[in-house]
Amino acid sequence: ASGLFDMSGNVLELCWDWLDNYKETEPEKYYAGPQYGSQRVARGGSWNPYSAFVLCADRYAYDPNEVWNFIGFRICRTIQMPQ
């Protein structure tokens, strides 16, 4: 409906999460990561020529004060589903 297609592989997507190892949680709870940190999480694949950065299901750490041409962001919003 938004007119966006095949968005995987353009750039690694910036996430708001601070980097940490995954923790075991109860099935109905979501681990949101630490409150503070030094590296943010980037997910997905990119056009980067290094094969390690091409995997769409990968997770990386980055310093939020650095700029790279293969890291970007995806605009999203929450919508209410019809009843």
Side-chain angles (χ1 to χ4, degrees), residues 60-78:
Y60 307 94
Y62 71 95
D63 180 339
N65 297 308
E66 294 179 351
V67 176
W68 299 95
N69 62 359
F70 56 88
I71 296 180
F73 64 95
R74 181 176 293 187
I75 297 173
C76 60
R77 70 177 210 173
T78 303

Side-chain angles (χ1 to χ4, degrees), residues 21-43:
N21 292 327
Y22 287 119
K23 305 279 192 255
E24 289 290 327
T25 62
E26 297 174 30
E28 58 277 347
K29 292 187 178 178
Y30 170 74
Y31 177 65
Q35 190 171 8
Y36 303 101
S38 61
Q39 294 185 313
R40 296 276 189 189
V41 173
R43 296 179 184 272

